[in-house]
Amino acid sequence: MPDNELQDTLNTAILKLKAREDAFKQFESISNLGSWEVDLKNHKTLWSEQTYKIYGLNKEDLTPTLEYFLSHLVEEDLPRAQKALHEAMIYGAVTSFECRVKRDDGKVLNILLNGKVVYDENNIPSKLIGTTQDITQQVSLKRYSDELSQLIEYSSNEIYIVDYNTYTYLYVNKGACDALGYTKDELLSMNIFAINPTLAFEEASAMKKLLTKHKKILNKTVHQRKDGTIYHVQAYIHALKYNGMDAFVIFDTDISQTVESQKLLKEQEHKLTHLVNHDTLTNLPNRSLLKDRLSQDIIALKKSFNKLALLFIDLDQFKKINDSLGHHRGDEVLLEISKKLQSLVKAGDTLARLGGDEFAIILKDINNIQEALKLAQSVTAIIKEPIQISGTTLFISSSIGISLYPQDAKDEHDLIKFADAAMYKAKDEGRDNFQFYSSEMTTLAFERVVMESSLRMAIKENQFVVYYQPQVDALTNTITGMEALVRWEHPSIGLVPPNKFIPLAEEIGLIVELDRIVMKKAMKQFATWYGNGLKPGILALNLAIKQLNSKDFLATLLHIIKETGFNSEWLELEITEGQLMNNPEAAIEKLKQISSFGINIAIDDFGTGYSSLTYLKRLPLDKLKIDKSFVRDLPSDEEDVAITKAIIALTKSLNLQLIAEGVETQEQKEFLINNGCHNIQGFLYAKPMPAQEITKLLNKSNEI
Ligand code: C2E
Ligand code: CA
Ligand code: CA
């Protein structure tokens, strides 16, 4: 080969070699891997460029030796290194030896050494060649991650990583195992529902949805341990990737203690307020709670328009019991009495002990004062029952004061003051009685209570009689009908007019029975008259709306008609305008049914209520009855004249019949006839009379 050709080949080879060296250098630099060789005979050492870099040195700074390397090792790593070197000589290699080197600039590196012994032709070790890799970063990263794992593992919180799709546990820490009493393996074969007894599948998926929005959520739940016991936890849940999978991590803190302590705190608070508001002996509400309840009850009553009674009950001469038997026995008596009183108080009402021998009862939602009076009577009676205390029989009486809302007072302070005052009045009256704050109430209450029981008695004893008042066509003076009007023939008082007992009968619901009695008697009478060939016309019966609303009204009516031999076409029912217009909608259907049997319907006392024209058209009406209050001052009173004329015009336009009641004078009659109302009922023609007198009248003639 010519010289120049050789030169070219050499050049190319050098260039190739250079390129390789460059590539090698780059590779060393990228992998942070330096190479070296040590001549084992003279310890001469060669370092690659990258090895210098790893040691933080320049080629010019140092001629490397094996001793340099050994002297820069962290002291405690030296024995290991010497051992490794020794073994390399025996086995021919050193692999993945990790040690620490302290550089001249003070920096400590973690390095990984791999080396191999090269032998000469006589098989004697001549060189050690190898690599040095700077793994400082990996080591610290690993340490960091190890520390982190430890931190998670040994955290006192329970930490779970859960598979996003299957809800199974992918990781659980020691805290979780300790808290639940399961082993790691057991938990890793379970899903979240196994330890969350209250968690429903839907709830879990809703939570997952939230996670996609918020990344982190807070939740409170209950965990169940392996032994079945439960505890409260607060959970932070984050979405994350775990081993490349969609997952979420749950950090749970046991908050049972806080939940427990909160409960405890509440209980204590409750106990405390109970203590503040209750009497320790009887455990009844005390004066301050009574006041509270009273003001609350008043607020509630303002909406319902109902009444309320406050009873103050004071035991008579209780001091004597205390003095003679001692306080301990006195307390027993008070306890006994509080139990007795409790038995009289209905749910929602309040029995309180005001101190000493004073009790109070709030009786709310009452319709009338009789209810308060009845309670006072029961209290008096129950306290009077003899009490046995350690072999002694005690007879105790009470003095009771009653104040009423809203009659007496509209606020709790005055009600209490007045009940107290009434109680002292009862004491002044000689004890063992009760008094209302306003004395009329006391009288009224008694009258009414007496009245109520005698009304009930009157029904039983058939003390009611029916009077009849003729209704007359004033143009012909003929009787067109009779209004049945009830009278009470009281055995000792004599004849009692209806306005004295009908309102009470309505209030206590007795009116239904009463009206049925009247209905039966009057129909029987009419059937007899007709049967005897007399012509009493139609029977006008007063009907309380309570009667109409009673469930079996129509059936009863039809039954009585049949039973008495009456004819439904002879019947007219009078309902007062006031009662009807209270709830006209409810009456429409019932009245239509009644009307379908040919029974007439009249509105009584017309002009005193507030009729709406719409309802006058919609109700199945036949007749209006002008109230006697408008008739009384006809024809002199201008206003009454105008009203009467208007009612007459109204009936004409609605095509209804008309009758005027309470007609007493010739002038009244003439005015009515002249203005188009010729049906008349009143003293001018006849007063309400007993049946025998009507029989006499009808027997004479049909004219009056
Ligand atoms: P009411 O239905 O308006 O009855 C008419 C009242 O006017 C009757 O009074 C009658 O005696 C009286 N009266 C009749 N003509 C005259 C007169 O010219 N001048 C005066 N000043 N008064 C006259 P009574 O009988 O005292 O009845 C009073 C109210 O009692 C009745 O008023 C009615 O609402 C009710 N009532 C009477 N009987 C019954 C009954 O059986 N059932 C029902 N639910 N209520 C009845
Ligand atoms: Ca009437
Ligand atoms: Ca009337």
Side-chain angles (χ1 to χ4, degrees), residues 318-335:
F318 186 72
K319 200 173 167 298
K320 275 192 190 160
I321 294 176
N322 253 347
D323 290 349
S324 58
L325 298 179
H327 281 268
H328 180 63
R329 294 279 140 76
D331 282 356
E332 279 179 51
V333 174
L334 289 172
L335 261 175

Side-chain angles (χ1 to χ4, degrees), residues 360-407:
I361 298 175
I362 306 173
L363 178 64
K364 61 180 189 189
D365 279 325
I366 55 173
N367 297 310
N368 54 52
I369 54 170
Q370 278 65 52
E371 292 178 40
L373 181 130
K374 274 184 195 157
L375 179 63
Q377 284 175 329
S378 312
V379 168
T380 307
I382 210 164
I383 289 179
K384 268 196 176 165
E385 285 171 6
I387 296 177
Q388 300 281 350
I389 294 285
S390 54
T392 325
T393 308
L394 299 174
F395 296 92
I396 302 172
S397 64
S398 60
S399 302
I400 302 172
I402 308 167
S403 64
L404 297 168
Y405 169 90
Q407 284 101 317

Side-chain angles (χ1 to χ4, degrees), residues 483 574 604-605 625 627-628 661:
E483 178 173 10
E574 292 188 3
D604 202 356
D605 301 348
K625 203 167 184 186
D627 188 62
K628 51 183 174 296
E661 67 178 355

Side-chain angles (χ1 to χ4, degrees), residues 440-632:
E440 307 95 79
M441 288 297 167
T442 309
T443 332
L444 201 70
F446 273 109
E447 268 183 11
R448 296 268 296 250
V449 165
V450 170
M451 185 81 150
E452 187 182 326
S453 60
S454 32
L455 248 187
R456 289 186 198 278
M457 183 70 87
I459 286 183
K460 258 198 217 146
E461 313 232 308
N462 195 18
Q463 292 171 0
F464 294 104
V465 286
V466 183
Y467 275 41
Y468 300 89
Q469 185 177 32
Q471 299 178 332
V472 179
D473 180 347
L475 296 178
T476 58
N477 283 340
T478 47
I479 295 173
T480 55
M482 312 269 175
E483 178 173 10
L485 294 159
V486 70
R487 299 290 181 265
W488 178 5
E489 273 185 332
H490 194 281
S492 52
I493 303 172
L495 210 61
V496 185
N499 59 5
K500 285 264 191 257
F501 61 88
I502 293 275
L504 179 61
E506 281 183 343
E507 198 177 286
I508 60 180
L510 224 54
I511 191 71
V512 177
E513 209 174 329
L514 180 62
D515 273 354
R516 285 184 187 176
I517 293 172
V518 174
M519 186 183 283
K520 210 163 171 174
K521 288 193 172 182
M523 284 185 183
K524 211 166 168 186
Q525 184 62 61
F526 262 62
T528 312
W529 281 329
Y530 274 111
N532 292 339
L534 301 176
K535 290 206 179 73
I538 57 138
L539 166 65
L541 270 182
N542 290 292
L543 184 72
I545 202 81
K546 263 207 182 130
Q547 175 82 291
L548 183 72
N549 290 338
S550 67
K551 205 163 70 239
D552 54 348
F553 173 66
L554 189 63
T556 315
L557 178 72
L558 296 175
H559 175 76
I560 297 176
I561 289 177
K562 209 170 153 202
E563 183 188 50
T564 53
F566 188 80
N567 183 336
S568 61
E569 306 207 325
W570 301 334
L571 187 61
E572 182 166 274
L573 294 177
E574 292 188 3
I575 307 169
T576 64
E577 185 184 30
Q579 291 196 1
L580 187 61
M581 289 305 161
N582 235 344
N583 188 359
E585 203 61 58
I588 290 179
E589 268 322 298
K590 279 248 167 116
L591 290 180
K592 275 190 180 157
Q593 283 177 353
I594 293 167
S595 173
S596 72
F597 286 92
I599 297 167
N600 269 10
I601 316 256
I603 298 193
D604 202 356
D605 301 348
F606 192 79
T608 57
Y610 296 93
S611 286
S612 103
L613 209 58
T614 332
Y615 281 117
L616 287 181
K617 277 193 195 156
R618 285 179 60 202
L619 287 160
L621 303 175
D622 300 283
K623 194 184 269 184
L624 299 185
K625 203 167 184 186
I626 303 178
D627 188 62
K628 51 183 174 296
S629 62
F630 302 114
V631 175
R632 196 179 54 222

Side-chain angles (χ1 to χ4, degrees), residues 149 152-154 159 169-178 181-190:
S149 309
I152 290 173
E153 181 66 15
Y154 294 102
I159 300 170
Y169 291 117
L170 300 174
Y171 168 82
V172 296
N173 75 342
K174 186 171 175 308
C177 297
D178 290 351
Y182 286 109
T183 64
K184 218 167 242 225
D185 285 344
E186 279 173 329
L187 276 175
L188 289 176
S189 67
M190 290 158 72

